[in-house]
Amino acid sequence: MTKIFIINGGQKFGHSGGRFNETISNETLSFFKNNNDFEVKTTNINDDYNPAAEVEKFVWADVIIYHTPIWWFQLPHGFKKYIDVVFTEGHAKGIYKSDGRSSENPTINYGTGGMLHGKKYMLTTSWNAPKEAFTLPGEFFSQHSVDEGPLFGFHRMNAFTGMKPLQSMHFHDIEKNADVDNDIKLYHKHLTQLFLN
């Protein structure tokens, strides 16, 4: 049985009610609950959480699924706080033991002290930006993908813990031109390809 930990990083703040990421998180939960080969735990960063219990979820899981909106080209502050608090709590308790270097040779092996080896993670993001902002010459992100551009640091953070990435999925133009029904269909196809095929 594959153990799945779903994190809803959609934040309720300002004009955002976190509805899209709540919808995607619920779709993820339903997808895995409807298949007996998976066991699921969840966290919503808007709810109170115990950092030590969150560390245990990371240690327990085979796959962590992160759902997050992107605010100002980064994680929203509530989700970033969750990661800062939980990963710090996870020092020598299952997430990482060190930065991987030794005092004998401090210039090499940085980022190899993670404790989550053998685990994988998947990321979904939601953007106001259209996908063409990442793909067309002369557009804002200079033809850098979400994963290799704005979310590069997020992926290196997970590599630091020892986890390996599954293919991300990014939802674009959510503010001005949303097609949630189609997004959900594409997302189900994405989950099916990754976890059932």
Side-chain angles (χ1 to χ4, degrees), residues 78-126:
F79 190 20
K80 179 61 167 69
K81 179 182 178 183
Y82 170 89
I83 292 208
D84 288 348
V85 169
V86 172
F87 280 33
T88 299
E89 177 69 25
H91 178 231
K93 297 176 185 171
I95 293 184
Y96 75 103
K97 60 180 179 254
S98 70
D99 70 9
R101 297 179 296 163
S102 69
S103 56
E104 292 78 29
N105 195 345
T107 62
I108 62 169
N109 295 322
Y110 178 81
T112 60
M115 301 174 75
L116 295 177
H117 293 278
K119 299 177 185 294
K120 296 178 181 177
Y121 71 96
M122 189 191 88
L123 170 66
T124 76
T125 64
S126 55

Side-chain angles (χ1 to χ4, degrees), residues 18 22 41 93 111 119 129 137 165 179-180:
E22 187 169 344
K41 293 185 180 183
K93 297 176 185 171
K119 299 177 185 294
D179 185 350
V180 177

Side-chain angles (χ1 to χ4, degrees), residues 17-170:
R19 290 184 304 278
F20 182 80
N21 280 276
E22 187 169 344
T23 298
I24 294 298
S25 296
N26 288 339
E27 290 293 330
T28 308
L29 179 62
S30 295
F31 177 88
F32 289 112
K33 286 264 187 182
N34 289 331
N35 189 309
N36 293 330
D37 293 332
F38 299 95
E39 188 177 351
V40 183
K41 293 185 180 183
T42 64
T43 287
N44 184 325
I45 61 98
N46 295 284
D47 300 334
D48 291 336
Y49 53 84
N50 178 306
E54 296 303 301
V55 171
E56 289 175 5
K57 291 178 185 177
F58 276 89
V59 172
W60 166 85
D62 298 309
V63 179
I64 290 86
I65 299 180
Y66 300 104
H67 298 297
T68 185
I70 300 300
W71 291 4
W72 293 106
F73 317 113
Q74 301 175 53
L75 303 184
H77 61 273
F79 190 20
K80 179 61 167 69
K81 179 182 178 183
Y82 170 89
I83 292 208
D84 288 348
V85 169
V86 172
F87 280 33
T88 299
E89 177 69 25
H91 178 231
K93 297 176 185 171
I95 293 184
Y96 75 103
K97 60 180 179 254
S98 70
D99 70 9
R101 297 179 296 163
S102 69
S103 56
E104 292 78 29
N105 195 345
T107 62
I108 62 169
N109 295 322
Y110 178 81
T112 60
M115 301 174 75
L116 295 177
H117 293 278
K119 299 177 185 294
K120 296 178 181 177
Y121 71 96
M122 189 191 88
L123 170 66
T124 76
T125 64
S126 55
W127 294 77
N128 173 48
K131 66 184 176 193
E132 291 80 6
F134 298 88
T135 61
L136 294 180
E139 286 299 311
F140 188 77
F141 290 100
S142 303
Q143 294 179 277
H144 289 95
S145 71
V146 171
D147 296 299
E148 294 174 349
L151 272 295
F152 177 81
F154 183 87
H155 288 293
R156 296 322 298 158
M157 171 197 82
N158 283 282
F160 191 96
T161 72
M163 288 194 284
K164 299 287 187 187
L166 295 170
Q167 185 179 354
S168 302
M169 183 159 190
H170 307 295

